[in-house]
Amino acid sequence: MAERSLRGMSIGAKSLESDQNVDFAARSEVAYVCPNGHRTILPLAEGAEIPQEWECRCGQIARLEGNEDEEIGKNGKPTRTHWDMLLERRSEEELQTVLDKRLKMHREGWFPDYE
């Protein structure tokens, strides 16, 4: 039975602890740059589809390096986020006031606890 369990494995010929005699897949490095200036380099397998956007470590959307001019959408307007639209309606001071009021209501028990 022990002979069957080891079939196909050449014990002693190859170490499973080192990279010796291991052929890695071909890779290419792709760079992304976010609006905050962070540069991210990703190793991707050759032949893999390269995404135009990647989420940066700061949370912003990083674009493929060399394609920064494509930030404006098809209709000629930059992409608006929820935060951008919220700031069109209220100032940050008004938003802080609303947040403080809602937190006070929550602490006083106006809202049921969801568990």
Side-chain angles (χ1 to χ4, degrees):
M1 187 71 175
E3 295 172 8
R4 287 186 177 171
S5 64
L6 297 177
R7 188 180 307 170
M9 183 68 180
S10 52
I11 301 281
K14 295 180 183 175
S15 172
L16 299 177
E17 295 180 3
S18 71
D19 295 339
Q20 227 171 6
N21 299 326
V22 177
D23 295 327
F24 292 105
R27 297 175 184 251
S28 60
E29 291 186 347
V30 179
Y32 293 89
V33 180
C34 82
N36 293 336
H38 300 130
R39 189 167 186 256
T40 306
I41 299 175
L42 299 175
L44 297 176
E46 283 188 12
E49 184 177 338
I50 298 174
Q52 295 296 313
E53 297 177 343
W54 192 267
E55 185 174 348
C56 182
R57 62 183 178 263
C58 66
Q60 296 286 330
I61 299 296
R63 303 207 185 278
L64 194 59
E65 191 172 48
N67 291 348
E68 290 87 10
D69 54 337
E70 294 179 7
E71 187 170 325
I72 297 177
K74 293 178 183 176
N75 58 3
K77 295 182 182 178
T79 306
R80 290 172 43 206
T81 63
H82 295 293
W83 181 249
D84 294 333
M85 290 184 266
L86 187 62
L87 287 178
E88 289 175 5
R89 297 190 305 270
R90 297 179 186 251
S91 67
E92 288 194 40
E93 292 80 22
E94 290 175 318
L95 291 171
Q96 186 63 45
T97 304
V98 171
L99 175 64
D100 293 338
K101 179 180 173 184
R102 299 300 278 188
L103 287 173
K104 181 181 176 189
M105 290 173 67
H106 181 70
R107 290 182 185 123
E108 292 175 354
W110 283 72
F111 301 109
D113 290 331
Y114 297 103
E115 293 182 6

